[in-house]
């Protein structure tokens, strides 16, 4: 099962970073390039423990739907979203926040498993892990810019 870990240092407080990371509307804005939209479940505002959202987005030229649920939540330092249904065989995305001096260290740990056995494993190695890493980095950079701009306003 592939694992992606990304660390992002943000000049903002824990709560601001946590709330942006679980904000449905912010997520839509950060994923505009894939035309991602919330179509069922929690479709706006802050998602919380036990709530789910169904996303529709275009990846690899194909419109897909994915439903994830918040399965763990410890404000302001941690939450987990896990796939309920979608293109992956499974995924678990841990969001971890800690204070580092006057900044927040945001760590994403993303575990995923592709369907289709050996073919899925081959896709992971050839392109999917890189694609998902770039997607998460893009979103994190968007979050960093937004969180830091909120601290200066």
């Amino acid at each position: 099962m592939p694992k992606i870990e990304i660390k992002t240092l943000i000049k903002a407080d824990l709560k601001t970073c946590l709330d942006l990371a679980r904000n449905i509307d912010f997520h839509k804005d950060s994923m505009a390039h894939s035309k991602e939209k919330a179509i069922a479940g929690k479709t706006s505002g802050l998602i919380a423990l036990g709530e789910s959202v169904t996303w529709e987005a275009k990846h690899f030229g194909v419109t897909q739907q994915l439903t994830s649920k918040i399965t763990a939540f410890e404000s302001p330092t941690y939450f987990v979203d896990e796939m309920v249904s979608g293109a992956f065989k499974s995924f678990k995305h841990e969001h971890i926040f800690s204070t580092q001096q006057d900044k927040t260290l945001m760590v994403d740990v993303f575990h995923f498993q592709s369907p289709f056995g050996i073919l899925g494993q081959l896709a992971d190695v050839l392109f999917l892990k890189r694609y998902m890493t770039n997607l998460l980095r893009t979103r994190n950079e968007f979050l960093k810019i937004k969180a830091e701009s909120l601290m200066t306003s």
Side-chain angles (χ1 to χ4, degrees), residues 73-87:
F73 186 81
E74 297 171 19
S75 182
T77 58
Y78 184 74
F79 76 95
V80 176
D81 61 288
E82 295 187 63
M83 188 188 81
V84 175
S85 64

Side-chain angles (χ1 to χ4, degrees), residues 31 34-37 55-59 62-66:
M31 293 286 116
S34 63
K35 298 181 172 87
E36 200 153 324
K37 58 185 175 183
W55 296 101
E56 184 175 271
K58 195 168 200 173
H59 296 283
V62 178
T63 300
Q64 304 173 32
Q65 291 184 2
L66 182 140

Side-chain angles (χ1 to χ4, degrees), residues 57-120:
K58 195 168 200 173
H59 296 283
F60 304 111
V62 178
T63 300
Q64 304 173 32
Q65 291 184 2
L66 182 140
T67 301
S68 64
K69 181 178 183 175
I70 304 299
T71 58
F73 186 81
E74 297 171 19
S75 182
T77 58
Y78 184 74
F79 76 95
V80 176
D81 61 288
E82 295 187 63
M83 188 188 81
V84 175
S85 64
F88 292 97
K89 184 174 181 182
S90 67
F91 86 56
K92 178 180 179 179
H93 185 178
E94 296 177 272
H95 307 258
I96 305 159
F97 305 88
S98 62
T99 300
Q100 300 238 328
Q101 297 173 356
D102 62 339
K103 298 176 181 131
T104 295
L105 177 63
M106 181 175 73
V107 180
D108 287 274
V109 181
F110 187 78
H111 303 267
F112 68 96
Q113 189 171 8
S114 296
F116 310 122
I118 192 74
L119 292 177

